Amino acid sequence: MDTLQFEIKPFNVLSAQEVYSVLQLRSKVFVVEQNCVYQDIDGKDAKALHVIGSLDGTIVAYARLFQAGDYFAEPSIGRVVVDPDYRDKKWGHDLMREAISGIEQYFGTTEITISAQQYLKKFYESHGFVQTSEMYLEDDIPHIEMKKS
């Protein structure tokens, strides 16, 4: 059975190939698949820790972690993505467990806030998040704020 190898790295130690692969994956899903023109390169990557899930050297899962105050008042997880070609493996759950663990390890807390695409509410609830806002549009996609404590 295939298992992902996870690493958590600050931006300044990512290789050029890793940055390219991450941006390519994010664009493949958030821009092309979701048909949403928006500025993915948002100036926040340098502040983030990057959770990279690789299979045989290919990045197929990714998220970024922010400390309190960089995005929300609490630490946060964003840009959670699994390559569509691998979604049948359910690696989104492995990615979220790794991201939550990374928040605990690097930021010393279990309190996390996310801006979740509304259709993924049940997915995030399965990881202990609860909805804390009404639906709002972010880049014309319905989102909700969710928190975990």
Side-chain angles (χ1 to χ4, degrees):
M1 181 175 177
D2 296 329
T3 56
L4 289 183
Q5 301 298 313
F6 283 101
E7 294 181 276
I8 298 178
K9 299 179 174 185
F11 185 74
N12 65 338
V13 302
L14 294 174
S15 71
Q17 182 60 52
E18 286 171 322
V19 170
Y20 182 86
S21 295
V22 162
L23 293 176
Q24 186 177 40
L25 175 60
R26 288 177 5 191
S27 179
K28 179 180 183 177
V29 173
F30 298 130
V31 177
V32 177
E33 182 185 51
Q34 295 182 355
N35 194 28
C36 180
V37 177
Y38 83 112
Q39 186 62 44
D40 177 51
I41 301 173
D42 59 3
K44 296 178 181 175
D45 287 312
K47 290 182 178 183
L49 290 175
H50 301 268
V51 182
I52 297 173
S54 300
L55 178 68
D56 300 326
T58 300
I59 296 173
V60 298
Y62 170 84
R64 56 185 192 180
L65 312 179
F66 291 99
Q67 61 188 333
D70 280 350
Y71 208 88
F72 292 105
E74 300 81 20
S76 62
I77 301 168
R79 296 292 200 271
V80 177
V81 63
V82 173
D83 189 305
D85 297 336
Y86 297 90
R87 289 198 188 127
D88 61 327
K89 309 275 189 194
K90 306 293 185 198
W91 284 336
H93 292 287
D94 296 330
L95 176 60
M96 277 307 294
R97 284 189 286 273
E98 192 72 22
I100 291 165
S101 176
I103 294 282
E104 293 173 14
Q105 178 183 351
Y106 290 96
F107 305 138
T109 184
T110 58
E111 293 186 22
I112 304 168
T113 300
I114 62 173
S115 178
Q117 291 188 10
Q118 190 173 29
Y119 84 96
L120 290 167
K121 179 181 176 191
K122 289 190 185 315
F123 170 78
Y124 289 114
E125 286 174 340
S126 76
H127 291 278
F129 288 86
V130 296
Q131 182 174 343
T132 55
S133 77
E134 296 298 317
M135 185 279 289
Y136 56 92
L137 292 177
E138 188 172 309
D139 300 309
D140 289 328
I141 295 174
H143 280 69
I144 52 174
E145 183 182 276
M146 299 185 82
K147 293 182 182 271
K148 176 179 174 59
S149 53

